Amino acid sequence: MKKIKILIIIILSIVLVTTITLIIVFSNMKKTKEGYHTILENKSYVYEENRKMTFNVYSDTKVSIIGDVNNNSYILELGSLTYTLDNISVRSYGIPNSYLIKIDADIPNVSGVVSSDLAKLIIYTSKNIITLKLGSISILNPNEYELLGFDRLYASYCMVDGYKQLVGINIKFNKKYDIISDFKIGEYCYGNLKQIRMENYENEIDIKSLIPEYNITRVENSKAFNILNTSYFIPINYTSLMIIKEGYITLKINNVKYYIDTFSFMTNDLDYDTYKDVMKEGIIS
């Protein structure tokens, strides 16, 4: 009888240890399952040889297969156009509740302007194909533009539906011009010349208190504006409302096409906890 009790205890102990082991294994497997997330952005770049573009990806794991640059292929999809990206480098940073992966690549050499507001980064790994939604990307080869000089340039942001959006550009020209007839950031954000103001504002504003009729997603045809001063605030409207951290500006002044090179309006990375509810989950196939 005593041997039977000992045997039962041994069996129960084995079952318990096995159960605990399985729980730990499956728990670790769940924790290490790879997942990727992106924040949709309006990004625009001016092409120049050896100049880089950067994609921010939030990862559930510290070590990720998307960083295997020697064996992966990285494809930028802009609508019907695809570009195999060159000179890839990957950096990874631990951040609260996630990992931030930065993928750097040469900006593709394009003719004129190419753009898409359904841009994707597709990564072919040894095991999977990972598709990441990026938002909008515009690339400009400025052969037909003149570089515009200025004394001051910075953005004003405002909270819109709980998120910080770029709502206007503050600029001080370095000389006197006559007429401005066009203003864009990339290909999906337009300067509203009807609501232009002859002053500059702070980095963070309540735009409705300054321009009550402002509507961030209402793009209107703007007539040419007579420039009477050198300092202006130009409200921005969107055809595709996404975060803007950086971008180039194109504008037409005195009927001449100018551009302002890719400019960083916001230098800090977007906070994972703030934007996690609107992130787009990567597709692994």
Side-chain angles (χ1 to χ4, degrees):
M1 191 69 180
K2 187 176 181 181
K3 290 183 179 180
I4 294 175
K5 287 182 179 181
I6 293 173
L7 182 60
I8 291 172
I9 291 173
I10 292 173
I11 293 172
L12 289 175
S13 298
I14 293 172
V15 171
L16 180 61
V17 170
T18 302
T19 302
I20 292 173
T21 301
L22 289 173
I23 290 173
I24 292 172
V25 169
F26 283 114
S27 177
N28 287 336
M29 287 177 62
K30 186 176 181 181
K31 287 180 182 179
T32 58
K33 181 181 178 182
E34 292 201 20
Y36 305 100
H37 318 276
T38 52
I39 301 171
L40 299 185
E41 297 184 50
N42 271 307
K43 304 183 80 169
S44 51
Y45 297 94
V46 173
Y47 168 76
E48 187 175 295
E49 190 175 0
N50 298 323
R51 185 179 283 191
K52 297 291 186 180
M53 62 198 315
T54 300
F55 310 99
N56 288 337
V57 183
Y58 295 85
S59 172
D60 294 340
T61 56
K62 182 178 181 179
V63 179
S64 169
I65 195 170
I66 69 173
D68 186 5
V69 297
N70 294 321
N71 297 300
N72 295 345
S73 296
Y74 301 79
I75 307 297
L76 177 62
E77 182 179 287
L78 300 178
S80 60
L81 301 174
T82 57
Y83 300 90
T84 300
L85 299 176
D86 296 319
N87 296 322
I88 307 295
S89 61
V90 177
R91 298 166 284 154
S92 182
Y93 305 91
I95 60 174
N97 303 316
S98 187
Y99 297 93
L100 175 59
I101 299 174
K102 289 181 173 288
I103 302 173
D104 300 313
D106 287 351
I107 299 174
N109 187 354
V110 303
S111 176
V113 180
V114 296
S115 63
S116 173
D117 61 354
L118 295 172
K120 296 176 183 177
L121 177 64
I122 303 172
I123 305 172
Y124 291 85
T125 75
S126 58
K127 295 181 179 179
N128 304 103
I129 301 173
I130 301 167
T131 303
L132 302 167
K133 294 182 179 180
L134 303 174
S136 82
I137 289 184
S138 307
I139 303 174
L140 169 70
N141 191 325
N143 291 331
E144 299 180 0
Y145 292 78
E146 294 186 21
L147 184 64
L148 182 73
F150 55 88
D151 287 337
R152 180 170 62 240
L153 179 73
Y154 63 95
S156 289
Y157 284 82
C158 179
M159 296 300 292
V160 178
D161 296 331
Y163 299 98
K164 191 179 289 187
Q165 300 284 1
L166 188 155
V167 293
I169 295 296
N170 300 275
I171 188 168
K172 183 179 181 181
F173 298 108
N174 62 6
K175 63 181 181 179
K176 185 72 171 62
Y177 294 102
D178 297 319
I179 295 175
I180 180 170
S181 55
D182 188 34
F183 190 100
K184 290 194 299 183
I185 304 175
E187 296 301 307
Y188 299 97
C189 311
Y190 292 78
N192 190 329
L193 302 182
K194 291 181 180 179
Q195 297 176 349
I196 198 169
R197 297 292 189 268
M198 288 191 290
E199 57 185 320
N200 290 161
Y201 297 131
E202 301 294 326
N203 292 113
E204 296 189 17
I205 62 174
D206 177 4
I207 193 165
K208 281 288 193 178
S209 66
L210 300 171
I211 308 175
E213 65 274 23
Y214 175 80
N215 185 330
I216 196 168
T217 57
R218 188 172 65 205
V219 176
E220 305 177 58
N221 291 325
S222 296
K223 296 180 179 179
F225 182 85
N226 293 320
I227 301 175
L228 303 174
N229 201 353
T230 57
S231 294
Y232 287 94
F233 173 80
I234 303 175
I236 299 298
N237 301 130
Y238 295 71
T239 57
S240 296
L241 182 58
M242 303 172 199
I243 307 296
I244 295 181
K245 290 181 57 188
E246 61 183 343
Y248 66 78
I249 295 173
T250 54
L251 59 168
K252 188 179 287 186
I253 300 177
N254 295 354
N255 212 33
V256 177
K257 291 163 60 174
Y258 290 94
Y259 78 100
I260 296 173
D261 208 346
T262 306
F263 192 88
S264 293
F265 303 111
M266 182 192 297
T267 56
N268 58 298
D269 291 313
L270 299 176
D271 180 68
Y272 174 82
D273 288 329
T274 300
Y275 292 91
K276 63 182 179 180
D277 291 338
V278 293
M279 287 185 182
K280 300 300 180 181
E281 187 171 353
I283 298 173
I284 303 176
S285 57

